[in-house]
Amino acid sequence: MRHLPETDRDALHIAQHPQFPRWLEQVTATGGCAHPIHLSGSTTTLDATTGEILRHYDTRTEPGERLSVRCRNRRASVCPACSRLHAGDTFHLVRAGLLGGKNIPTTVRNRPRLFITLTAPSFGPVHRAGNERCRPRRDGGTCEHGRPLGCAAVHALDARAVGEPLCGDCYDYSAHVLWHAHASKLWDRFVIDVRRRLASSVGLVQSRFADHARLSFARVAEYQKRAAVHVHAVVRLDGPNGPGDEPPAWGTAGLLIDAVCASVGRVLVRTPHSPAVGELALRWGVQVDARRLHTDGDGPDDDAVAAYVAKYVTKGASETGAGTDHTLSTWVDIDAVPVSEHVRTLMRACWRLGGLPEYESLRLRAWAHTLGYRGHILTKSRAYSTTYAALRADRAHHVGHADIPDTVTERNWRYVGSGHTPGAALLAAGVAEDIATNREIAREEREVPR
């Protein structure tokens, strides 16, 4: 035993413990969570009328006198098991807003619906991938720093140069970081302006738009190769009471596309004035894509759109190469992060600007690991579809964890730790892999024609 690695010794010790079967049940119940939360306490269910104890659970009989629950981290790089669950919830959340279900009427599939993509503006030319030359220039030429203004190479998609600026000194790193910090506010103003464009295009007073229609959406943020966030969103037009109400006759997909394209070019957010940077007017990029979603198949498939959004929800900053999933505590930490020099320079810009009093409210140093972007990876309007909480409640009910009617439940829990020992992590990873394999086999069997 002493000649074995520490991880193997720990795994054998766990497997030989008398309570190993129960420990394995707990790990399986969490789906093989890589970083579970450990709780200690009890739950007592009593009859609301008589006070009789109907059910009692206490962790004192559990291995280590604790109960393990999922960490629920969405990032696949942190916890593959919980990220798969989160991706599944996201798929159903987005799909319900497209096709109905989960208390959303199926009539939403006949509403004006768009799948839109909004990009960040240019902060300086970067190397591009594709089958053609990167940035051909007949006259050649160099920038003021002596670097070529063009690039005649043909870059593969995975080439290290893709997304890197042609000249790092010409690239506006401050604007890039500040655009990230204001991206969520820019989206909010975009949605407000789309409502205004719709109202004015049909002769309505803008303040009365909510009396005639409601704009619902679900959006996800994704990092591009140049480490700039762009936004994918499903946008739907309903009646004033939400998904159960038909939109007005004037509410068409064509009108919605026109409003989206007009608003993208109109909205802006101004940054606080800084002696170091000045005042910036931040806008969306010129590349905009707005596609109709059709029920007859003439357009992007609804399930494919939901799956596309769900896929990007599980990606962390480190997985895309546009940052790291862990916060940075000091300037020195930036040098140790395994990222490209372009991304490292963006982190340094966050740290430098974060020390200026005019940008204190942006908390740029706290968000340096995500290059200043501090919005949620997925957001939705209230009336778009169901919620994550409702989906989790449905899952709990499905596995028999629903509350018993006419009872009172007393809960007494406290946090006692998190994570696995090395051996436990190895065993949990095996459980997660088995569950994923079984799920894939079941999916393949469902797809086999009968």
Side-chain angles (χ1 to χ4, degrees), residues 284-329:
W284 294 107
V286 296
Q287 293 180 321
V288 181
D289 186 36
R291 305 183 188 183
R292 304 185 190 198
L293 293 170
H294 297 281
T295 57
D296 56 6
D298 183 17
D301 180 76
D302 293 314
D303 283 345
V305 168
Y308 185 82
V309 172
K311 177 181 70 173
Y312 281 105
V313 160
T314 65
K315 290 183 178 294
S318 61
E319 191 174 355
T320 59
T324 178
D325 294 332
H326 305 286
T327 57
L328 305 173
S329 301

Side-chain angles (χ1 to χ4, degrees), residues 119-130:
T119 61
S122 174
F123 306 108
V126 298
H127 291 280
R128 299 179 294 198

Side-chain angles (χ1 to χ4, degrees), residues 214 217 380-387:
R214 179 190 289 261
F217 67 85
K380 73 175 190 69
S381 59
R382 186 185 302 273
Y384 173 76
S385 71
T386 186
T387 64

